[in-house]
Short mmCIF file of all heavy atoms in Angstrom, two decimals:
data_model
loop_
_atom_site.label_atom_id
_atom_site.label_comp_id
_atom_site.label_asym_id
_atom_site.label_seq_id
_atom_site.Cartn_x
_atom_site.Cartn_y
_atom_site.Cartn_z
N ALA A 641 12.03 42.77 37.57
CA ALA A 641 11.02 43.78 37.35
C ALA A 641 11.45 45.07 37.96
O ALA A 641 12.25 45.12 38.86
CB ALA A 641 9.72 43.29 38.05
N VAL A 642 11.02 46.14 37.36
CA VAL A 642 11.15 47.56 37.83
C VAL A 642 9.83 48.10 38.26
O VAL A 642 8.86 47.96 37.38
CB VAL A 642 11.99 48.47 36.85
CG1 VAL A 642 11.95 49.85 37.33
CG2 VAL A 642 13.33 47.94 36.58
N ILE A 643 9.67 48.56 39.35
CA ILE A 643 8.45 49.20 39.90
C ILE A 643 8.49 50.72 39.69
O ILE A 643 9.40 51.39 40.34
CB ILE A 643 8.13 48.85 41.31
CG1 ILE A 643 8.30 47.42 41.50
CG2 ILE A 643 6.72 49.26 41.63
CD1 ILE A 643 7.45 46.48 40.71
N GLY A 644 7.69 51.34 38.81
CA GLY A 644 7.75 52.76 38.63
C GLY A 644 7.88 53.19 37.24
O GLY A 644 8.87 52.76 36.67
N GLY A 645 6.98 54.03 36.64
CA GLY A 645 7.19 54.41 35.21
C GLY A 645 7.63 55.94 35.07
O GLY A 645 7.36 56.51 34.08
N GLY A 646 8.24 56.39 36.25
CA GLY A 646 8.85 57.79 35.96
C GLY A 646 10.13 57.71 35.28
O GLY A 646 10.52 56.63 34.86
N ASN A 647 10.94 58.83 35.27
CA ASN A 647 12.10 58.85 34.64
C ASN A 647 13.17 57.82 35.22
O ASN A 647 13.86 57.04 34.56
CB ASN A 647 12.87 60.27 34.68
CG ASN A 647 12.31 61.16 33.62
OD1 ASN A 647 11.62 60.67 32.75
ND2 ASN A 647 12.62 62.42 33.71
N SER A 648 13.16 57.83 36.66
CA SER A 648 14.14 56.86 37.26
C SER A 648 13.80 55.41 37.06
O SER A 648 14.72 54.57 36.77
CB SER A 648 14.19 57.08 38.70
OG SER A 648 12.89 56.98 39.33
N GLY A 649 12.51 55.11 37.00
CA GLY A 649 12.15 53.71 36.75
C GLY A 649 12.42 53.27 35.19
O GLY A 649 12.97 52.11 35.08
N VAL A 650 12.14 54.13 34.32
CA VAL A 650 12.38 53.80 32.90
C VAL A 650 13.87 53.71 32.62
O VAL A 650 14.38 52.89 31.91
CB VAL A 650 11.65 54.77 32.01
CG1 VAL A 650 12.08 54.58 30.43
CG2 VAL A 650 10.17 54.63 32.11
N GLU A 651 14.70 54.67 33.25
CA GLU A 651 16.17 54.61 33.06
C GLU A 651 16.60 53.38 33.63
O GLU A 651 17.59 52.70 33.12
CB GLU A 651 16.76 55.79 33.79
CG GLU A 651 16.49 57.17 33.00
CD GLU A 651 16.94 58.29 33.80
OE1 GLU A 651 17.41 58.11 35.01
OE2 GLU A 651 17.12 59.41 33.24
N ALA A 652 16.19 52.91 34.84
CA ALA A 652 16.62 51.67 35.37
C ALA A 652 16.29 50.44 34.49
O ALA A 652 17.10 49.54 34.30
CB ALA A 652 15.98 51.58 36.84
N ALA A 653 15.16 50.42 33.96
CA ALA A 653 14.80 49.32 33.07
C ALA A 653 15.60 49.27 31.81
O ALA A 653 16.10 48.12 31.33
CB ALA A 653 13.28 49.44 32.70
N ILE A 654 16.02 50.38 31.23
CA ILE A 654 16.82 50.53 30.14
C ILE A 654 18.26 49.86 30.53
O ILE A 654 18.86 49.12 29.80
CB ILE A 654 16.92 51.90 29.51
CG1 ILE A 654 15.58 52.36 28.99
CG2 ILE A 654 18.04 52.08 28.47
CD1 ILE A 654 15.49 53.81 28.56
N ASP A 655 18.79 50.38 31.58
CA ASP A 655 20.07 49.90 32.08
C ASP A 655 20.12 48.43 32.34
O ASP A 655 21.01 47.72 31.90
CB ASP A 655 20.53 50.75 33.35
CG ASP A 655 20.78 52.06 33.14
OD1 ASP A 655 21.06 52.51 31.89
OD2 ASP A 655 20.87 52.91 34.03
N LEU A 656 19.02 47.91 33.02
CA LEU A 656 19.04 46.45 33.43
C LEU A 656 18.86 45.61 32.06
O LEU A 656 19.28 44.48 32.07
CB LEU A 656 17.81 46.26 34.28
CG LEU A 656 18.07 46.77 35.80
CD1 LEU A 656 16.79 46.84 36.54
CD2 LEU A 656 19.09 46.01 36.49
N ALA A 657 18.20 46.13 31.09
CA ALA A 657 17.97 45.33 29.85
C ALA A 657 19.23 44.98 29.22
O ALA A 657 19.33 43.94 28.53
CB ALA A 657 17.00 46.18 28.99
N GLY A 658 20.26 45.69 29.50
CA GLY A 658 21.59 45.32 28.89
C GLY A 658 22.39 44.29 29.68
O GLY A 658 23.32 43.77 29.28
N ILE A 659 21.74 43.84 30.82
CA ILE A 659 22.46 42.82 31.73
C ILE A 659 21.59 41.64 31.83
O ILE A 659 22.15 40.54 31.79
CB ILE A 659 22.63 43.54 33.04
CG1 ILE A 659 23.56 44.83 33.02
CG2 ILE A 659 23.33 42.54 34.03
CD1 ILE A 659 23.61 45.57 34.26
N VAL A 660 20.34 41.84 32.18
CA VAL A 660 19.43 40.65 32.52
C VAL A 660 18.95 40.05 31.22
O VAL A 660 18.97 40.53 30.09
CB VAL A 660 18.34 41.21 33.44
CG1 VAL A 660 18.98 41.89 34.64
CG2 VAL A 660 17.38 42.04 32.76
N GLU A 661 18.21 38.90 31.48
CA GLU A 661 17.58 38.19 30.48
C GLU A 661 16.33 38.88 30.08
O GLU A 661 16.08 39.11 28.75
CB GLU A 661 17.04 36.75 30.88
CG GLU A 661 16.32 35.97 29.87
CD GLU A 661 15.70 34.71 30.39
OE1 GLU A 661 16.30 34.16 31.39
OE2 GLU A 661 14.80 34.18 29.74
N HIS A 662 15.55 39.40 30.99
CA HIS A 662 14.29 40.15 30.63
C HIS A 662 13.90 41.00 31.85
O HIS A 662 14.04 40.72 32.97
CB HIS A 662 13.11 39.15 30.41
CG HIS A 662 11.84 39.85 29.79
ND1 HIS A 662 10.85 40.47 30.64
CD2 HIS A 662 11.47 40.06 28.52
CE1 HIS A 662 10.00 40.98 29.86
NE2 HIS A 662 10.33 40.66 28.46
N VAL A 663 13.34 42.19 31.51
CA VAL A 663 13.02 43.16 32.45
C VAL A 663 11.57 43.54 32.09
O VAL A 663 11.22 43.87 31.00
CB VAL A 663 13.92 44.44 32.56
CG1 VAL A 663 13.83 45.18 31.23
CG2 VAL A 663 13.38 45.33 33.62
N THR A 664 10.72 43.53 33.27
CA THR A 664 9.25 43.99 33.14
C THR A 664 9.08 45.21 33.96
O THR A 664 9.40 45.19 35.17
CB THR A 664 8.29 42.86 33.65
OG1 THR A 664 8.56 41.64 32.86
CG2 THR A 664 6.95 43.29 33.45
N LEU A 665 8.62 46.28 33.42
CA LEU A 665 8.32 47.49 34.15
C LEU A 665 6.92 47.61 34.47
O LEU A 665 5.93 47.40 33.72
CB LEU A 665 8.78 48.74 33.29
CG LEU A 665 8.57 50.02 34.03
CD1 LEU A 665 9.71 50.95 33.64
CD2 LEU A 665 7.28 50.75 33.83
N ILE A 666 6.56 47.78 35.82
CA ILE A 666 5.29 47.74 36.28
C ILE A 666 4.91 49.26 36.70
O ILE A 666 5.64 49.80 37.50
CB ILE A 666 5.12 46.93 37.59
CG1 ILE A 666 5.48 45.48 37.38
CG2 ILE A 666 3.71 46.91 38.10
CD1 ILE A 666 4.73 44.69 36.46
N GLU A 667 3.84 49.76 36.11
CA GLU A 667 3.45 51.20 36.44
C GLU A 667 1.96 51.19 36.96
O GLU A 667 1.07 50.50 36.32
CB GLU A 667 3.47 52.03 35.26
CG GLU A 667 2.73 53.37 35.14
CD GLU A 667 3.28 54.28 36.41
OE1 GLU A 667 4.38 54.28 36.81
OE2 GLU A 667 2.44 54.94 36.87
N PHE A 668 1.74 51.91 37.98
CA PHE A 668 0.32 52.01 38.59
C PHE A 668 -0.56 52.76 37.69
O PHE A 668 -1.73 52.33 37.63
CB PHE A 668 0.49 52.67 39.95
CG PHE A 668 -0.78 52.90 40.78
CD1 PHE A 668 -1.24 51.84 41.51
CD2 PHE A 668 -1.53 54.03 40.74
CE1 PHE A 668 -2.50 51.87 42.26
CE2 PHE A 668 -2.70 54.02 41.46
CZ PHE A 668 -3.18 53.07 42.12
N ASP A 669 -0.10 53.86 37.08
CA ASP A 669 -1.02 54.66 36.23
C ASP A 669 -1.33 53.88 34.84
O ASP A 669 -0.73 52.81 34.55
CB ASP A 669 -0.37 55.90 36.02
CG ASP A 669 -1.38 56.97 35.74
OD1 ASP A 669 -2.48 56.80 35.47
OD2 ASP A 669 -0.97 58.21 35.75
N THR A 670 -2.13 54.58 34.17
CA THR A 670 -2.52 53.98 32.80
C THR A 670 -1.42 54.23 31.76
O THR A 670 -1.56 53.78 30.61
CB THR A 670 -3.90 54.63 32.32
OG1 THR A 670 -3.77 55.96 32.30
CG2 THR A 670 -5.04 54.05 33.26
N LYS A 671 -0.43 55.14 32.03
CA LYS A 671 0.58 55.35 31.12
C LYS A 671 1.82 55.78 31.87
O LYS A 671 1.86 56.03 33.07
CB LYS A 671 0.13 56.56 30.20
CG LYS A 671 -0.15 57.86 30.93
CD LYS A 671 -0.40 58.92 29.92
CE LYS A 671 -0.81 60.22 30.68
NZ LYS A 671 -1.24 61.32 29.71
N LEU A 672 3.03 55.72 31.20
CA LEU A 672 4.27 55.92 31.87
C LEU A 672 4.31 57.52 32.02
O LEU A 672 3.81 58.22 31.23
CB LEU A 672 5.44 55.51 31.10
CG LEU A 672 5.54 54.00 30.75
CD1 LEU A 672 6.72 53.54 30.08
CD2 LEU A 672 5.39 53.20 32.02
N ARG A 673 5.11 57.93 33.00
CA ARG A 673 5.32 59.44 33.24
C ARG A 673 6.65 59.91 32.80
O ARG A 673 7.01 61.01 32.96
CB ARG A 673 5.09 59.72 34.80
CG ARG A 673 3.66 59.49 35.19
CD ARG A 673 3.48 59.38 36.73
NE ARG A 673 4.01 58.13 37.17
CZ ARG A 673 5.10 58.03 37.91
NH1 ARG A 673 5.88 59.01 38.17
NH2 ARG A 673 5.54 56.82 38.37
N ALA A 674 7.51 58.94 32.32
CA ALA A 674 8.85 59.36 31.96
C ALA A 674 8.87 60.20 30.66
O ALA A 674 7.97 60.27 29.92
CB ALA A 674 9.74 58.08 31.76
N ASP A 675 10.06 60.87 30.44
CA ASP A 675 10.23 61.69 29.32
C ASP A 675 9.98 60.73 27.98
O ASP A 675 10.43 59.51 28.02
CB ASP A 675 11.64 62.26 29.17
CG ASP A 675 11.83 63.34 30.38
OD1 ASP A 675 10.82 63.79 30.88
OD2 ASP A 675 12.97 63.60 30.54
N GLN A 676 9.51 61.30 26.97
CA GLN A 676 9.10 60.48 25.83
C GLN A 676 10.29 59.76 25.15
O GLN A 676 10.24 58.64 24.74
CB GLN A 676 8.41 61.38 24.72
CG GLN A 676 7.88 60.48 23.61
CD GLN A 676 6.79 59.46 24.17
OE1 GLN A 676 5.85 59.90 24.88
NE2 GLN A 676 6.86 58.22 23.63
#
């Protein structure tokens, strides 16, 4: 899992997806804050 939906969190999730079986991103807000 990746905690955080800002740029660093979404970038981490993208990078990890190429390595791990599955990645789940958890965001406290109702929407992600990362660049579209």
Side-chain angles (χ1 to χ4, degrees):
V642 172
I643 313 300
N647 280 351
S648 60
V650 173
E651 286 174 351
I654 293 170
D655 289 345
L656 289 166
I659 303 170
V660 303
E661 177 188 339
H662 191 273
V663 58
T664 303
L665 187 142
I666 307 289
E667 165 58 34
F668 181 82
D669 205 348
T670 54
K671 59 182 180 181
L672 302 185
R673 294 165 284 110
D675 295 342
Q676 191 59 49

